[in-house]
Amino acid sequence: MATADLIMYSDFISIYNSIHMKHQILKYIILGFIATSAVSCNDYLNILPKGQKMPVTYADFEPLLRDEYTVHHTRTTQSTILLNDRFVSSANLNYYRLWDANYFWRENSDRIELNNADEDTYYQSYASISTCNLIIANGDKMTESSEQQRKELVATAKVIRALNYYILANYYAATYDAATSASLKSVPLILSADVGAPHTQVSIEELYQFMISEIANSLPDLPTTGLTVLHPGQGAAHALLARIYLQMGNYPLALQQAEKALSINDKLFNWLNYHEQNKSRIESPLDYTLKETPVDHSYVENYYFRHGNDASSYRTTEYALRVDRASGFEDGDAKFLSRWKLRTVGPDTYYTSTMTGYHNLQGLTTVEVYLIKAEALARSGKVDEALTALNAVRKTRILADKYADLQTSDAAQAIKWIQRTKQNELIFSIMPFADIRRLNKEDTYKRTFNKTEVGANYQLSPTSHLWIMPIPQGALDNPGNGNIEQNVSK
C-alpha cells in the first residue's frame, strides 16, 4: 500500500461517529485499522475514503490527540444523577428510566437492562483509549520527527490513557480497597489498537498498578507543561498520580505528588475579583443573561483540559442545581454565585446556569491538588498545615465579608471541611462520586443520603450496590477477543 495519500482525521471521526454505541468495545478501536498489519489493503478501502491512506509522519499522528470530542471528552452522567448534584426535570425522569432509577435510589431496578439507553461513559472512554493506543503503538515508527518529539507524544498519550482508566475504574468497578482489590474485577485493559487484539478484564489492583506505572514511566519524557492544554505535561502527570494515591489511601505519596504538581503550577483563579467585576449582573435576580465561563481552555488553574457533561463540539451551559444541593455551598461562595441563579419555571424551582462556553469539568486543576494536599496533611496529623492549604483555596472563593479562616485541631473535622469544598469545586466531574465511595469505607466519613420528593422519602446507604455503575450489556454480549464479567448485580 502506498503512503503518499494521507487519511484526514476528520474522515476517521465521521467513520467513528457512524458506528452505533451499542456494538462491541473493539469496534471503537476502528482507528487501529490504520496502524495494524492484520488488515489487508482491500480491507482498508472498505472503511476509508478511496484514495486516502494511513498516517506515517509525526505531523500525521500528533493531531489525533487534539480531537476534543473523541479524546478529551467524558460524561459521567449517572454518577452526577445518583449524587443528586443536578436538577432533573420530571419530564426527563419519566423518559429516561435509568436516570429515574439512580435519581430516586431505586435498589430494585434492573439498571443492567436500563443501561442500554446510557452507555456513553464506557464507549467514549474506550474511544479515547483507542486513539492513545494507536499513537503509543506507532511511537517508534513515526517519520519526519525527532526522537524527543516521538517520546513526548507517546508519553502524553499514556497519561491520557491512564486518566481514562481512572474514570472507568471508579465508575464501573468497586472502589479501591487494599483488602479486596486483588480479587475484584475492574474493567478490560486494552493496550492495542488492533481490532482483533486480545484483552483481559484485570483486577482493581492490577489496573491501579498499571496506571501508576504508566504515568511514572511517562514523566521523564514529558515537558513541564504540555504542548497545549489538551496535552498533559509533568504538572498534570503529578496531579493524576496524587489523585490515584489518594484514592488508594496512600497519603504520603499523594502528598508528595501534590507538592510536585504545585511546584509546577499553584495558581488559583480569583473568583472574588470576577464577582466584583460582574456584580450588577450576578446580583440582579431576574437577569439570566449567559456570561462566557472563565473555566475554559485558558483557565489559570488548568493542568489538563477535558470536557464533561455535553459534547465538546459546541458551547454549552452547566447543569442546573437542585435547591438542596445549592445549600451545600458556603455562604458567600463567589464561584457559586457567579455560576448559578435561583429560578422558577412552572412547577420547578432550581438554580440555573448563568455561564456558557467550554468547561473543564473532567480535567486536572490546581484546586483539586490543593485539596488533595490538604487531606493528605490532615491524614498525617498535620492539621494546621492542612487548613492552610484549604484556606488558601477559600480565600479566592469566599467573599471578604463572609470569610473567616477555618480552624480546628480535629483531623476528622478538617477532612469534612476539605471534602465540602472539594465536592463543590469539582461538581459534575467523576471526583465527587469517587471521593464519596472512598470515604464510605470509613465509619467516620461514610454518609447516608436522604431526601423527600412529593411526600415520599428516599434513602441511599453507603453500602448500596448503586455505587457501582453496570457495565453496558452491549459490551458483555460483544466482548471482542476477551471476556467481560459484570461488576454489580443490578
Side-chain angles (χ1 to χ4, degrees):
M1 178 182 289
T3 58
D5 294 319
L6 179 66
I7 269 182
M8 301 305 295
Y9 192 54
S10 58
D11 294 322
F12 286 128
I13 298 306
S14 63
I15 294 166
Y16 165 83
N17 286 335
S18 71
I19 298 177
H20 194 277
M21 281 279 203
K22 290 184 180 179
H23 287 80
Q24 62 191 26
I25 300 171
L26 295 179
K27 286 187 178 179
Y28 275 80
I29 310 176
I30 192 169
L31 289 174
F33 279 137
I34 66 175
T36 174
S37 59
V39 184
S40 69
C41 186
N42 287 335
D43 291 327
Y44 284 120
L45 296 178
N46 285 336
I47 65 169
L48 302 176
K50 190 173 181 178
Q52 297 182 349
K53 306 297 189 294
M54 61 184 179
V56 175
T57 69
Y58 172 86
D60 302 336
F61 281 101
E62 192 276 327
L64 299 180
L65 280 191
R66 293 177 183 260
D67 187 76
E68 296 186 52
Y69 183 85
T70 304
V71 181
H72 311 283
H73 172 220
T74 308
R75 294 177 186 153
T76 49
T77 304
Q78 297 310 315
S79 64
T80 299
I81 287 175
L82 186 80
L83 295 176
N84 277 211
D85 275 351
R86 60 178 285 195
F87 169 78
V88 184
S89 69
S90 57
N92 277 333
L93 291 171
N94 288 332
Y95 185 80
Y96 298 109
R97 294 174 59 208
L98 178 62
W99 291 27
D100 176 86
N102 284 321
Y103 198 68
F104 289 110
W105 310 322
R106 302 191 193 280
E107 300 228 347
N108 292 326
S109 293
D110 187 348
R111 297 182 306 154
I112 296 172
E113 176 187 355
L114 299 178
N115 200 38
N116 286 327
D118 197 336
E119 302 174 341
D120 183 72
T121 305
Y122 195 81
Y123 291 115
Q124 190 71 45
S125 297
Y126 278 109
S128 179
I129 287 168
S130 73
T131 301
C132 295
N133 287 344
L134 178 66
I135 288 169
I136 294 164
N138 287 274
D140 59 351
K141 303 181 186 72
M142 298 176 199
T143 62
E144 300 179 24
S145 64
S146 67
E147 182 180 8
Q148 179 182 353
Q149 284 179 308
R150 293 192 298 272
K151 286 184 174 181
E152 181 178 316
L153 190 63
V154 168
T156 302
K158 286 183 175 182
V159 175
I160 295 172
R161 183 168 70 176
L163 177 56
N164 281 302
Y165 277 120
Y166 178 89
I167 293 172
L168 287 165
N170 283 280
Y171 201 76
Y172 294 108
T175 193
Y176 184 92
D177 187 325
T180 60
S181 290
S183 58
L184 295 179
K185 294 285 189 182
S186 185
V187 295
L189 180 60
I190 301 177
L191 302 179
S192 174
D194 186 338
V195 74
H199 65 83
T200 302
Q201 185 180 7
V202 296
S203 70
I204 295 169
E205 180 68 34
E206 288 173 304
L207 190 60
Y208 270 77
Q209 293 305 324
F210 168 78
M211 290 187 289
I212 291 169
S213 174
E214 184 95 324
I215 302 166
N217 291 338
S218 300
L219 272 164
D221 295 324
L222 290 171
T224 304
T225 56
L227 186 64
T228 71
V229 74
L230 300 175
H231 295 69
Q234 289 181 5
H238 288 302
L240 183 53
L241 279 172
R243 176 190 285 186
I244 292 168
Y245 282 127
L246 186 73
Q247 198 73 29
M248 298 174 74
N250 190 331
Y251 305 116
L253 287 182
L255 177 60
Q256 180 188 96
Q257 294 299 323
E259 289 180 332
K260 287 182 178 180
L262 292 172
S263 71
I264 293 171
N265 179 14
D266 64 354
K267 295 184 179 68
L268 290 168
F269 185 82
N270 194 320
W271 282 94
L272 279 64
N273 289 346
Y274 181 90
H275 182 274
E276 184 63 28
Q277 293 162 6
N278 296 274
K279 190 173 183 178
S280 60
R281 180 184 65 86
I282 290 169
E283 294 186 350
S284 177
L286 299 179
D287 185 353
Y288 298 106
T289 305
L290 294 175
K291 182 78 172 177
E292 192 72 21
T293 179
V295 190
D296 57 11
H297 299 82
S298 61
Y299 194 47
V300 297
E301 296 181 5
N302 289 339
Y303 292 113
Y304 163 64
F305 183 96
R306 191 179 190 89
H307 295 272
N309 56 343
D310 286 304
S312 58
S313 55
Y314 56 85
R315 292 151 46 87
T316 182
T317 59
E318 293 185 271
Y319 291 135
L321 292 181
R322 288 171 56 95
V323 174
D324 55 355
R325 179 61 184 87
S327 68
F329 286 78
E330 279 196 69
D331 188 23
D333 188 326
K335 186 176 181 181
F336 163 76
L337 294 170
S338 300
R339 293 164 73 190
W340 292 283
K341 189 173 292 186
L342 189 64
R343 189 170 198 175
T344 298
V345 178
D348 297 322
T349 299
Y350 52 87
Y351 279 81
T352 189
S353 173
T354 59
M355 287 188 171
T356 187
Y358 303 99
H359 309 267
N360 187 6
L361 294 182
Q362 295 285 11
L364 296 160
T365 59
T366 59
V367 69
E368 178 183 354
V369 177
Y370 270 98
L371 298 171
I372 291 172
K373 176 181 177 178
E375 182 174 342
L377 286 166
R379 294 280 188 171
S380 65
K382 299 178 180 178
V383 179
D384 287 345
E385 293 180 47
L387 292 177
T388 297
L390 172 60
N391 287 325
V393 171
R394 296 179 60 252
K395 286 173 183 175
T396 65
R397 269 61 175 171
I398 310 303
L399 296 175
D401 61 338
K402 303 288 186 180
Y403 181 83
D405 278 347
L406 294 175
Q407 298 179 2
T408 184
S409 58
D410 182 355
Q413 179 59 64
I415 290 170
K416 289 176 182 178
W417 283 336
I418 292 162
Q419 271 297 311
R420 175 182 62 180
T421 298
K422 194 175 181 187
Q423 292 284 314
N424 293 336
E425 284 291 328
L426 305 182
I427 194 170
F428 306 147
S429 75
I430 187 64
M431 290 316 302
F433 185 68
D435 273 341
I436 291 174
R437 291 180 358 135
R438 170 173 65 88
L439 294 169
N440 276 344
K441 297 184 302 176
E442 303 178 68
D443 288 341
T444 302
Y445 306 109
K446 66 183 180 183
R447 175 181 171 192
T448 297
F449 285 67
N450 293 281
K451 71 174 180 178
T452 300
E453 298 263 334
V454 196
N457 298 321
Y458 300 91
Q459 186 176 90
L460 175 63
S461 78
T463 58
S464 173
H465 68 271
L466 298 177
W467 289 105
I468 301 174
M469 298 300 164
I471 294 173
Q473 190 62 45
L476 299 175
D477 292 341
N478 300 280
N481 193 359
N483 296 302
I484 306 176
E485 298 176 14
Q486 185 59 266
N487 288 325
V488 66
S489 60
K490 56 188 174 180

